[in-house]
Amino acid sequence: MILGSGFCMAITKKNRALVDDAHHVARYLKPKFLIRDALDEKIIGVYGQAFELRSGEEFLSVNWIEYFELPKLDALKNIVSGMKASKLSVSSKGALAVANIANIKSIGKDRKSKIRVEYRPTQGNKSHSGIFNTLNEDTEMLDLLSREAFSELVQIEKLVMLKPVGF
Amino acid sequence: MTQVLIKNRKKGIESLRSPSHVSLESFTRQFDIPVSSYSRVISEITRNCSGTPLSTFSSDEKSIREKLFDAKAIAKIKIAEVSMHLDTKWREKIFRQLDLMHDDADWESDDVPIQILSIVTFLRSLGVIDYKKYPSLGMSNSGYLLAAWLYNENRLTLEFLPIDKVRWVLSVKSEDSYESAAGETQLPVLMSRLSPYDPGQWFLHGNN
């Protein structure tokens, strides 16, 4: 079952169901994964290593943006609130990286891996989802994810000043 | 092809000589190699120094902030061993970025601080490659130093692993598409691996 299909249909949210390719996910990136300009101020890119699975991880943690059925900025604010509600630390120097699911899967296809995105809510982090079948040993895949999929970056310090909507 | 300046050392070059089947002559064939006293100092940093003490992070007596301070201090002390040969601006940038990488605001219990053996490989690379442009620095989950250079839409990323090993990945724009390549190699032959992609665009003319 694919969640969120169709513009006019209400988005159904079933645990472990696939999220629609037309939708988007956001991944929180710690400051150490961000490429900055010469003055270390503006974020201009992301290291591929930001998409490595850590030891024991089954999937890459992300948040489903369309879950909230809100404008993107409001959804991102809610994502940050959700992370904090689940006791996940968020640094103001970090960023959210946004990607379209179809783009993510396209990279997987190019690199011969069937990437999928599943809805995996947790207590307090209702939009939590997972990207499955990325390959730590495929440095080029990780680099492609960082450059071509997760290319839209929103700094946390610009989000946290604003109150979440409908959370 | 753009000439890339690679530092040579009259003294201590044996410490960076690659396995016997890659002679120094073949490594230098395509590049000018100016002699530099700076690189002589770099060669004195042995690649086999002791790693980041685990006791730094295993102690329960200190707060996360204190532990991170200690880990950064160890790294900065190692960098300070050659700091007199580093441009002041670049030394300050490295220290500033080390601070950014070790932000206690989102530090988790299983996060790994910067590894000294990675710093050592990075410092030794300064004796091989004359970085005219400062990279942006980051850190992997394993605590290895990352460096990125951007030139227009072309990007090169290096990950400095222990004992002179470097993992690299690059992408260059070619007409309407990107060409990418990746590898893991020893420091002495890194430039020969990168040479088909005109590494001078990053090291000599890149901008962040």
Side-chain angles (χ1 to χ4, degrees), chain A residues 1 13 31 42 51 75 101 113 122 135 143 146 150 155 159 163 167:
Chain A
M1 174 187 163
K13 299 154 186 173
K42 190 180 163 199
F51 303 95
I101 293 172
S113 180
T122 64
L135 303 168
D143 190 63
S146 71
F150 287 88
Q155 292 181 257
L159 277 177
K163 269 188 158 181
F167 180 73

Side-chain angles (χ1 to χ4, degrees), chain A residues 55-84:
Chain A
S55 177
E57 278 188 338
E58 184 191 357
F59 54 81
L60 277 178
S61 278
V62 291
N63 287 83
W64 179 17
I65 290 178
E66 281 80 1
Y67 166 88
F68 296 101
E69 300 180 61
L70 290 170
K72 184 164 66 181
L73 200 61
D74 293 328
L76 293 180
K77 282 181 274 178
N78 284 356
I79 286 170
V80 173
S81 298
M83 289 180 67
K84 290 179 178 177

Side-chain angles (χ1 to χ4, degrees), chain B residues 84-140:
Chain B
M84 68 288 287
H85 299 278
L86 282 174
D87 179 273
T88 303
K89 267 183 151 179
W90 195 9
R91 186 180 68 248
E92 288 172 355
K93 184 176 172 68
I94 293 171
F95 283 13
R96 188 167 63 239
Q97 291 181 95
L98 276 173
D99 289 337
L100 272 173
M101 291 174 219
H102 295 85
D103 190 345
D104 64 329
D106 63 357
W107 196 266
E108 297 173 72
S109 58
D110 53 352
D111 280 342
V112 176
I114 190 72
Q115 296 298 292
I116 289 304
L117 291 179
S118 172
I119 292 280
V120 167
T121 301
F122 168 66
L123 292 176
R124 284 167 60 81
S125 78
L126 301 178
V128 176
I129 303 170
D130 188 7
Y131 302 122
K132 295 293 187 202
K133 299 299 293 188
Y134 308 148
S136 173
L137 298 178
M139 189 169 68
S140 71

Side-chain angles (χ1 to χ4, degrees), chain B residues 26-159:
Chain B
S26 63
F27 177 60
T28 63
R29 185 169 55 231
Q30 297 180 56
F31 305 100
D32 292 332
I33 304 183
V35 174
S36 167
S37 61
Y38 166 72
S39 56
R40 187 169 65 237
V41 174
I42 295 298
S43 72
E44 293 168 7
I45 300 176
T46 58
R47 63 183 192 166
N48 293 318
C49 71
S50 56
T52 304
L54 291 178
S55 59
T56 302
F57 259 71
S58 61
S59 164
D60 289 329
E61 294 170 359
K62 295 187 175 183
S63 67
I64 285 289
R65 185 168 286 190
E66 287 169 321
K67 290 176 187 177
L68 289 174
F69 181 86
D70 290 346
K72 284 187 289 181
I74 293 169
K76 289 176 181 177
I77 288 169
K78 178 55 71 176
I79 294 165
E81 289 180 9
V82 297
S83 64
M84 68 288 287
H85 299 278
L86 282 174
D87 179 273
T88 303
K89 267 183 151 179
W90 195 9
R91 186 180 68 248
E92 288 172 355
K93 184 176 172 68
I94 293 171
F95 283 13
R96 188 167 63 239
Q97 291 181 95
L98 276 173
D99 289 337
L100 272 173
M101 291 174 219
H102 295 85
D103 190 345
D104 64 329
D106 63 357
W107 196 266
E108 297 173 72
S109 58
D110 53 352
D111 280 342
V112 176
I114 190 72
Q115 296 298 292
I116 289 304
L117 291 179
S118 172
I119 292 280
V120 167
T121 301
F122 168 66
L123 292 176
R124 284 167 60 81
S125 78
L126 301 178
V128 176
I129 303 170
D130 188 7
Y131 302 122
K132 295 293 187 202
K133 299 299 293 188
Y134 308 148
S136 173
L137 298 178
M139 189 169 68
S140 71
N141 284 326
S142 303
Y144 298 148
L145 193 69
L146 304 170
W149 290 262
L150 278 70
Y151 179 66
N152 294 332
E153 293 177 78
N154 299 344
R155 188 166 102 175
L156 169 69
T157 301
L158 301 181
E159 182 177 1

